[in-house]
Amino acid sequence: MHPRRPTVSLVIPAYNEEGVIRQCVAAALRQSVPAREIIVVDNGSTDRTAAIVRRMQREHPEAPLHLARQDAEQGLVPTRNVGLGLATGDVLGRIDADSVLEPDWVAQVASAFQDPEVMGATGPVHYYDMPLRRWGLKADDRLRQLVLRLAHRQHHFLFGSNMAVRRTAWEAIAPEVCRDEADLMHEDIDISLHLAEHRMAVRYVPAMVAGMSARRLEDSPRDYRRYVGRFDRTYKAHRIDRKVLRIPELLFLSIYYPARTLRFIHRRAGAQRRRGFGSFTAAVPPVPPSSRARRRAVRGRRRPDRP
């Protein structure tokens, strides 16, 4: 007798994501196996994020699409926690507002969690606003598997744009996860390390594929270094010192300038194709900044930036 297929909820924290939230929710609605519920948690957005989700609710009245608000605190961690606390599925999927799930994502997650030993799962991503997407997906998959082998499978990290956690596992670690009020850590790695402390297994699922934006490359070099430094700060908070775990950090730093240049050329070429004429040097529409960049701007109006 086969075990019952677990139900999957989707939680999407969002702050000023009007440029990407529609495509994110649309992909979540187009699943071959429907999610039990899709919960968008709006963290006090000042743009049309909430209005777009409400419109999609009217467009899809039969869909289990819910909009929640979290105005008490500014930040990804409290917003994520509210969404995970509201979700009722056996498995809690957590993606970013710029994630675009493959149509079989929920099915792949449900299949992975039919194994009762699996408490968390993550998969590869491709960058849908970069060239060579198929190559990028293969490279991302191989890198994650390489890091897993080098770490002797002792540390297997979830990736916030493409992750899922069993609800009972989340309930066990929810009181312990770091609040990170200073916004210095990678909250997905923090969840992974708390699962590891409870000896809860995280599985890498190559078929659990999501797209995401490469808009992080729009950050200034200083902001990008600060973002990448979250790896080391998260490890230090958990008193972990393993050189192999620095591989993702070093890789992200090494690809910044080449990938940023490639993205610039790709966007310019795309803009020229859309116009069909005009100079290659014409202006390109700006990319919506990442949620953390927008939150940092909000905090910057209240207190000086950290050195």
Side-chain angles (χ1 to χ4, degrees):
M1 183 176 180
H2 295 289
R4 179 181 68 86
R5 181 186 288 265
T7 58
V8 179
S9 297
L10 269 172
V11 173
I12 308 170
Y15 175 69
N16 285 357
E17 296 285 12
E18 65 178 9
V20 293
I21 193 64
R22 173 173 282 277
Q23 66 182 14
C24 176
V25 174
L29 291 170
R30 288 196 299 264
Q31 293 294 301
S32 58
V33 174
R36 177 182 177 89
E37 60 205 346
I38 302 165
I39 304 172
V40 179
V41 187
D42 179 33
N43 186 202
S45 296
T46 58
D47 66 357
R48 297 178 57 252
T49 298
I52 291 170
V53 175
R54 284 193 290 266
R55 181 173 180 176
M56 296 189 77
Q57 287 176 314
R58 294 192 296 270
E59 293 170 351
H60 303 275
E62 76 290 347
L65 174 58
H66 308 288
L67 176 64
R69 288 189 64 87
Q70 193 285 108
D71 298 330
E73 299 178 70
Q74 192 68 43
L76 174 58
V77 170
T79 306
R80 173 205 71 190
N81 292 353
V82 167
L84 294 177
L86 291 172
T88 61
D90 301 317
V91 177
L92 312 180
R94 210 292 271 167
I95 61 175
D96 289 332
D98 67 335
S99 299
V100 177
L101 302 177
E102 291 295 302
D104 65 344
W105 191 89
V106 169
Q108 294 292 343
V109 170
S111 177
F113 280 87
Q114 283 188 288
D115 181 346
E117 297 298 314
V118 174
M119 295 292 126
T122 196
V125 300
H126 63 83
Y127 295 92
Y128 54 71
D129 50 5
M130 290 284 284
L132 306 174
R133 283 177 286 183
R134 183 173 297 181
W135 180 88
L137 175 62
K138 290 181 179 179
D140 185 88
D141 175 49
R142 290 176 180 175
L143 172 66
R144 293 177 192 279
Q145 299 211 42
L146 172 63
V147 172
L148 182 61
R149 288 196 298 271
L150 291 174
H152 303 293
R153 301 188 180 274
Q154 295 177 3
H155 297 286
H156 196 167
F157 298 133
L158 299 166
F159 185 38
S161 293
N162 183 14
M163 61 176 272
V165 179
R166 195 177 296 275
R167 180 158 56 88
T168 53
W170 169 249
E171 290 171 347
I173 67 171
E176 306 168 6
V177 292
C178 298
R179 294 284 299 171
D180 191 24
E181 294 175 351
D183 194 24
L184 298 173
M185 298 166 59
H186 276 312
E187 52 86 27
D188 44 7
I189 295 180
D190 177 63
I191 288 178
S192 308
L193 293 172
H194 281 285
L195 289 172
E197 290 168 7
H198 286 261
R199 300 186 181 279
M200 295 181 179
V202 172
R203 176 173 295 176
Y204 179 70
V205 183
M208 181 180 157
V209 179
M212 65 174 291
S213 172
R215 59 186 179 175
R216 178 66 61 187
L217 294 171
E218 302 295 324
D219 286 357
S220 69
R222 180 187 179 213
D223 286 344
Y224 187 83
R225 287 194 299 271
R226 181 186 292 128
Y227 169 76
V228 173
R230 290 173 180 270
F231 284 101
D232 191 50
R233 291 192 292 270
T234 308
Y235 301 150
K236 286 180 178 178
H238 286 265
R239 299 180 180 179
I240 292 175
D241 183 18
R242 296 198 63 194
K243 291 183 179 180
V244 69
L245 298 181
R246 292 185 57 84
I247 291 177
E249 181 177 356
L250 296 174
L251 179 68
F252 276 116
L253 288 172
S254 68
I255 67 172
Y256 172 70
Y257 286 107
R260 183 181 171 92
T261 302
L262 184 63
R263 177 174 169 81
F264 174 80
I265 295 171
H266 177 66
R267 287 180 55 75
R268 283 292 179 92
Q272 185 183 34
R273 286 195 300 271
R274 288 192 296 272
R275 288 192 305 271
F277 62 96
S279 170
F280 184 76
T281 59
V284 179
V287 176
S290 65
S291 293
R292 277 202 171 102
R294 290 189 293 275
R295 288 190 174 102
R296 189 164 56 247
V298 171
R299 288 194 303 273
R301 292 194 292 269
R302 294 197 295 258
R303 67 171 186 264
D305 198 3
R306 292 175 178 272

